[in-house]
Amino acid sequence: MRAILHTLSYGNIEVESSRRLVDIKKLDAMNIFLKKMDIQIFNEDYEIPLRIYFPTEEAMTNGVEKGHTFPVLLFFHGGGWVTESVDTYNRVCARMSQSTGHIVVSVEYRLAPEYRFPTALMDCYAAAKALYTNKLILNTDPRKITIMGDSAGGNLAAAVALMARDNGEFQVYRQILIYPALYNTYTAASPYASVQKNGTDYLLTAVKMQDYLNLYESCPEDRVNPYFAPLLARDFSNMPETLILTAEFDPLRDEGEDYGKKLAEAGNYVEVHRIKDALHGFFALGIRFFHVQESFSYMNEFLKREV
């Protein structure tokens, strides 16, 4: 198994081949059976596609009828800001909707390197603003909305929460970050031991993470922007209640846990859980996998909290 992981972990990121590989997930015969709806919102003059997943037929009705509100997860997919899409995350989002009993809104933000920082962030922020201010087809209560993302999507979720606090246009009450990418380097200069310990033979490597950052940034100055690397924020106060899930054998493990520590030290409610024996990317595996089931147990307990 170690030899296989070592082989699969080799090399740098080649954008087009990486995209072709993940696009295989679009060929899913189960897609036609999913309870979903496609809509669009605007970020200035750009139309952002959103896909809404419903856990039940009742949710499809109550989510859009006046007089009803339904709990919502606003989700930003992973993929290093470079690959993946709403389509490749169809099963993940449908499973998440069914397993949490929430409506899931998945955002098709624009990808790097064609669209570099802060384009993806501003697409996600525009989607969040529309949802929190009740500009979508859904009838929403901000206290029933949770922003969420995995990996690069976790970065975007954390950055949206920071930006919302700073701008004051809407309030994020709760966020879930799944093995989030929150720092600005994955070289030997990183202060996090997991980058060195887990950065070579566990699928996601430090070299690949460095490639992703190079593709995402618009200029070197982006690296010190807290909306690019949320761990660089100077103020962690007045942030949402936060659940962070990390993977044991992940180069991103320690930065996710450090972010939780910084949020807690600033007086925020935070839960951090390390999924034992897990690799980066485990959340996209099927619901039968123990690591995924464990994650949903933490998520559902967290989502039961009153905010």
Side-chain angles (χ1 to χ4, degrees), residues 38-58:
D38 289 331
I39 63 170
Q40 298 80 34
I41 59 109
F42 279 92
N43 174 15
E44 297 181 344
D45 59 350
Y46 177 73
E47 191 172 72
I48 307 167
L50 308 178
R51 183 163 294 165
I52 305 174
Y53 301 82
F54 299 92
T56 62
E57 295 289 343
E58 178 188 11

Side-chain angles (χ1 to χ4, degrees), residues 269-290:
Y269 177 85
V270 182
E271 293 182 29
V272 179
H273 301 281
R274 181 186 295 184
I275 307 299
K276 190 177 185 300
D277 297 328
L279 303 179
H280 187 91
F282 74 82
F283 192 69
L285 299 173
I287 191 63
R288 294 183 181 180
F289 283 83
F290 176 75

Side-chain angles (χ1 to χ4, degrees), residues 75-142:
F75 183 73
F76 310 132
H77 66 76
W81 308 277
V82 172
T83 69
E84 302 286 1
S85 66
V86 165
D87 286 335
T88 63
Y89 265 70
N90 255 329
R91 281 207 179 197
V92 175
C93 290
R95 180 188 69 225
M96 188 162 34
S97 181
Q98 294 160 6
S99 297
T100 63
H102 282 53
I103 292 172
V104 172
V105 179
S106 184
V107 180
E108 188 77 282
Y109 60 84
R110 284 171 282 183
L111 299 177
E114 293 86 353
Y115 300 97
R116 294 175 180 262
F117 178 83
T119 303
L121 171 60
M122 297 315 299
D123 285 349
C124 292
Y125 184 83
K129 182 179 177 181
L131 182 63
Y132 277 89
T133 57
N134 225 353
K135 298 296 194 298
L136 298 184
I137 190 173
L138 300 174
N139 296 298
T140 55
D141 174 352

Side-chain angles (χ1 to χ4, degrees), residues 178-191:
I178 310 293
Y179 38 76
L182 300 168
Y183 200 53
N184 66 355
T185 185
Y186 296 92
T187 67
S190 171

Side-chain angles (χ1 to χ4, degrees), residues 143-291:
R143 291 184 180 272
K144 294 183 180 180
I145 301 170
T146 303
I147 62 171
M148 177 179 174
D150 67 321
S151 194
N155 167 285
L156 294 168
V160 166
L162 279 171
M163 186 174 284
R165 182 203 61 184
D166 295 344
N167 291 352
E169 294 184 296
F170 57 92
Q171 182 174 352
V172 178
Y173 290 91
R174 191 156 43 196
Q175 64 179 342
I176 298 175
L177 311 178
I178 310 293
Y179 38 76
L182 300 168
Y183 200 53
N184 66 355
T185 185
Y186 296 92
T187 67
S190 171
Y192 297 110
S194 61
V195 172
Q196 320 308 332
K197 185 177 180 181
N198 300 329
T200 54
D201 293 331
Y202 297 103
L203 299 182
L204 178 66
T205 65
V207 169
K208 289 177 180 177
M209 278 304 305
Q210 199 65 18
D211 284 351
Y212 284 133
L213 289 185
N214 291 337
L215 291 165
Y216 183 44
E217 71 178 11
S218 295
C219 62
E221 289 73 25
D222 290 341
R223 297 290 181 111
V224 295
N225 187 327
Y227 300 142
F228 183 94
L231 270 164
L232 301 181
R234 295 182 179 180
D235 177 12
F236 294 94
S237 63
N238 300 313
M239 291 295 288
E241 294 195 353
T242 301
L243 171 65
I244 298 174
L245 301 181
T246 63
E248 182 176 6
F249 297 109
D250 182 357
L252 307 186
R253 182 193 68 201
D254 292 353
E255 65 194 69
E257 294 173 4
D258 189 33
Y259 194 64
K261 180 181 177 182
K262 284 180 166 56
L263 291 174
E265 288 174 345
N268 303 287
Y269 177 85
V270 182
E271 293 182 29
V272 179
H273 301 281
R274 181 186 295 184
I275 307 299
K276 190 177 185 300
D277 297 328
L279 303 179
H280 187 91
F282 74 82
F283 192 69
L285 299 173
I287 191 63
R288 294 183 181 180
F289 283 83
F290 176 75
H291 299 326

